[in-house]
Amino acid sequence: MLGIWVQTSGREVWAGVLAELRNRGVKDVLIACCDGLTGFPEAIEATWSQTVVQTCVVHLIRASMRFVSYNDRKAVATALRPIYTAPTEAAAAQELDIFDGSNWGKKYPATVRVWRDAWERFIPFLEFPPAVRKIIYTTNSIESLNYQLRKIIKNRGHFPNDDAVVKLLWLAIRDIEDKRARERAKEVGRPRNERKAPPEVVEGAVAQGWNAAYGALSLAFPGRLEPVL
């Protein structure tokens, strides 16, 4: 967690947020996984020109499933899977064409349109091997925290000013941290592979399979990881 900002979404707002992060010491970003926030991808590219900006695949799937009836969702999700698990961009494009021409594609053309509209932001994902794809596949870990914070804001209703919102959010984060700390304390002494307690919110989680991902990222971004690790 890098900060709390109370703002109206938009490119200028995101540019200011990212400029602050850059001034605080974030000199480089290899990959930014976004979930469709207006103006965010463009602001990232303007701040760190070498960053690969990629849409969150899980959010893309969810967006495309909005138009699918509940009874068909499982079958449509299975039919979409070959697109985002394809080994290359060409193979993924072929799978999307196959889905488009299938009975599901004809029944739900809006689902196909979601994928085609997001294609340029989706395909960077396909350039990486499975070890990296696993890490950048979704922003769900962030969404989990956002969900808890949104629930707190909704329950409180109106606020006198922005400072009141920030204070409430920070207290909520500390409360979440305390709960997680108690869960981790219960697992002290257990082997690492048996620990199920959630990581710290502010400090962040340890990515699983990082060694394999680090090797792949070192090849994809030569010279950019070594100075900071």
Side-chain angles (χ1 to χ4, degrees):
M1 177 172 251
L2 301 178
I4 301 174
W5 295 267
V6 181
Q7 300 281 353
T8 301
S9 181
R11 181 171 181 175
E12 292 183 1
V13 171
W14 289 119
V17 169
L18 298 179
E20 178 186 326
L21 295 179
R22 183 184 58 200
N23 294 337
R24 283 164 50 189
V26 182
K27 298 179 180 179
D28 191 11
V29 175
L30 302 183
I31 305 168
C33 185
C34 303
D35 61 359
L37 292 170
T38 302
F40 197 23
E42 293 79 9
I44 293 170
E45 292 168 336
T47 306
W48 297 288
S49 59
Q50 292 182 294
T51 298
V52 174
V53 180
Q54 177 241 311
T55 191
C56 168
V57 176
V58 170
H59 276 80
L60 179 56
I61 295 169
R62 288 174 183 166
S64 65
M65 296 291 282
R66 285 200 308 262
F67 309 100
V68 179
S69 67
Y70 180 81
N71 291 334
D72 291 340
R73 286 185 178 181
K74 187 173 182 180
V76 172
T78 300
L80 289 172
R81 192 172 187 277
I83 300 172
Y84 59 87
T85 58
T88 64
E89 177 187 345
Q94 183 178 15
E95 293 295 344
L96 179 57
D97 289 339
I98 291 173
F99 179 87
D100 192 359
S102 70
N103 290 334
W104 293 128
K106 294 174 182 177
K107 186 175 182 179
Y108 300 111
T111 294
V112 178
R113 187 183 67 245
V114 168
W115 280 88
R116 296 204 185 279
D117 289 347
W119 195 252
E120 291 304 314
R121 293 295 186 189
F122 160 68
I123 55 177
F125 176 79
L126 302 172
E127 298 177 6
F128 298 103
V132 177
R133 291 188 185 189
K134 184 178 179 181
I135 292 175
I136 64 174
Y137 175 70
T138 179
T139 59
N140 274 359
S141 59
I142 301 170
E143 287 299 319
S144 175
L145 174 61
N146 286 345
Y147 172 77
Q148 296 178 69
L149 297 180
R150 279 196 298 269
K151 190 163 60 173
I152 292 165
I153 294 293
K154 184 177 181 180
N155 289 340
R156 289 300 178 103
H158 299 288
F159 295 87
N161 51 54
D162 289 351
D163 287 342
V165 180
V166 173
K167 287 178 181 178
L168 178 64
L169 290 175
W170 177 246
L171 289 172
I173 291 167
R174 298 313 307 166
D175 184 52
I176 294 168
E177 288 278 39
D178 289 343
K179 289 180 180 178
R180 291 186 174 198
R182 289 194 293 271
E183 292 182 43
R184 290 193 297 273
K186 294 177 183 178
E187 297 184 347
V188 171
R190 294 186 187 179
R192 187 176 295 275
N193 62 349
E194 295 181 7
R195 299 177 191 175
K196 304 298 182 182
E200 296 180 24
V201 173
V202 174
E203 296 300 325
V206 176
Q208 299 296 319
W210 174 249
N211 287 339
Y214 173 61
L217 289 170
S218 296
L219 294 174
F221 304 100
R224 291 172 64 184
L225 273 174
E226 289 73 8
V228 295
L229 293 179

